[in-house]
Amino acid sequence: MAGPRRDTRGIVDAPELFAQVRFRRREPAAELRPYVEHYWLIDWDLSQPYASHVVPHPSVNLVFQRFEGRDDFAEVSGIGLELFAQKLEGRGRVCGVQFRPGGFRPFAPDRPVSEWTGRRLPADGVFTPPAPPSDVLGPADEDARVAALDRYLLALGPAADPQAERAMALAGLVRTDRTVRRVDELARTEGLSPRSLQRLFASYVGVGPKWVILRYRIHEALERAESDPQVDWAALAAELGYSDQAHLIRDFTATVGVPPTAFAPR
């Protein structure tokens, strides 16, 4: 598999985020790459508070967090259905694990992933053995933090699951193939009924396939809005499978909170 992706999809005003914090993506150990998209590491030392905003991916995250005035903690963040905002101030550090869509359940096989959707829970209530926040966040050396994440996830021993593999493959297809626009067509090409496809995504991804299709469209539209001063929105709407420009703009505004014309490339 390729290294960590380099796009900024999902990050609202990525240039401003990168100006405020140190943001990196790192690869997990080879044995974890079928399940884990990447690790994401953020460190900050701010004189003024800053709020980051992200349009969440259809992925579960395990997040180790250090904020001034609080004990280190770890939480499982299910797929966020709305724009995610996080206020950062003073000094802090985050080490996150972004699982591939469909890749989380082998680490927590007892419940469907839909049970975590829209929720943020202490990691100790999800994993055994408990997640060790200070072991991950404590080392000054970045490689040591990555190694600590590897050790912890490998100790959890992801369970082989053909259904998880199928869900990951289908979610990956939705992300990379723009011709995938309808749930019934995706189900038919995979030899599934639409209801079976819905059940598979609920159990292993955490949201339905239609939601995943729409979310990846918004990610692409957001990235285009921030990088291209001459976006042809009617053409982009057609490219992404929308019936018209107005439909794209409605979805974008409902998800991000402002219309695409509010963004200007830096």
Side-chain angles (χ1 to χ4, degrees):
M1 294 186 180
R5 57 186 179 83
R6 298 182 180 275
D7 62 76
T8 61
R9 293 186 179 181
I11 302 174
V12 178
D13 199 350
E16 179 63 17
L17 174 69
F18 299 156
Q20 297 286 345
V21 308
R22 290 187 63 231
F23 177 92
R24 294 89 71 207
R25 294 187 180 113
R26 295 288 301 269
E27 274 195 309
E31 304 94 314
L32 297 168
R33 291 173 199 166
Y35 310 97
V36 175
E37 179 106 13
H38 56 250
Y39 300 146
W40 49 277
L41 311 178
I42 300 177
D43 297 270
W44 65 89
D45 187 353
L46 300 170
S47 58
Q48 298 291 331
Y50 167 73
S52 65
H53 296 86
V54 176
V55 177
H57 286 254
S59 301
V60 177
N61 284 260
L62 169 61
V63 192
F64 297 85
Q65 302 177 65
R66 171 174 289 175
F67 295 94
E68 280 188 341
R70 297 184 61 180
D71 292 335
D72 293 347
F73 65 101
E75 65 181 7
V76 170
S77 180
I79 295 174
L81 301 177
E82 300 177 345
L83 184 69
F84 174 77
Q86 177 65 64
K87 182 180 179 181
L88 306 176
E89 54 188 334
R91 298 180 64 184
R93 170 174 294 168
V94 171
C95 299
V97 179
Q98 182 171 315
F99 293 90
R100 297 185 184 280
F104 177 75
R105 188 163 180 183
F107 294 85
D110 294 338
R111 302 183 188 179
V113 180
S114 58
E115 288 202 14
W116 316 117
T117 299
R119 303 172 66 193
R120 298 171 68 179
L121 303 168
D124 289 355
V126 179
F127 296 123
T128 303
S134 296
D135 289 358
V136 173
L137 295 163
D141 180 70
E142 182 177 311
D143 290 341
R145 282 177 255 157
V146 170
L149 288 169
D150 283 341
R151 284 194 301 273
Y152 179 64
L153 291 179
L154 288 169
L156 291 176
D161 186 336
Q163 288 294 86
E165 293 175 9
R166 188 174 199 184
M168 286 188 284
L170 289 174
L173 181 65
V174 171
R175 180 166 68 178
T176 58
D177 187 346
R178 288 182 182 168
T179 67
V180 178
R181 298 175 176 177
R182 294 177 56 87
V183 173
D184 56 349
E185 293 174 356
L186 177 62
R188 185 165 53 251
T189 60
E190 294 300 319
L192 295 169
S193 69
R195 180 165 293 185
S196 294
L197 183 63
Q198 295 278 2
R199 285 198 297 265
L200 177 69
F201 268 63
S203 294
Y204 286 90
V205 179
V207 289
K210 180 178 180 180
W211 192 95
V212 176
I213 292 169
L214 292 173
R215 180 50 53 94
Y216 281 139
R217 288 177 178 178
I218 295 301
H219 278 173
E220 183 158 351
L222 175 61
E223 187 175 53
R224 196 78 65 89
E226 293 193 323
S227 63
D228 184 355
Q230 304 296 329
V231 178
D232 182 337
W233 290 103
L236 180 60
E239 184 181 325
L240 296 178
Y242 280 92
S243 57
D244 54 41
Q245 176 180 342
H247 191 184
L248 167 60
I249 291 174
R250 283 197 301 272
D251 276 0
F252 186 104
T253 304
T255 302
V256 181
V258 293
T261 51
F263 291 89
R266 301 191 177 189

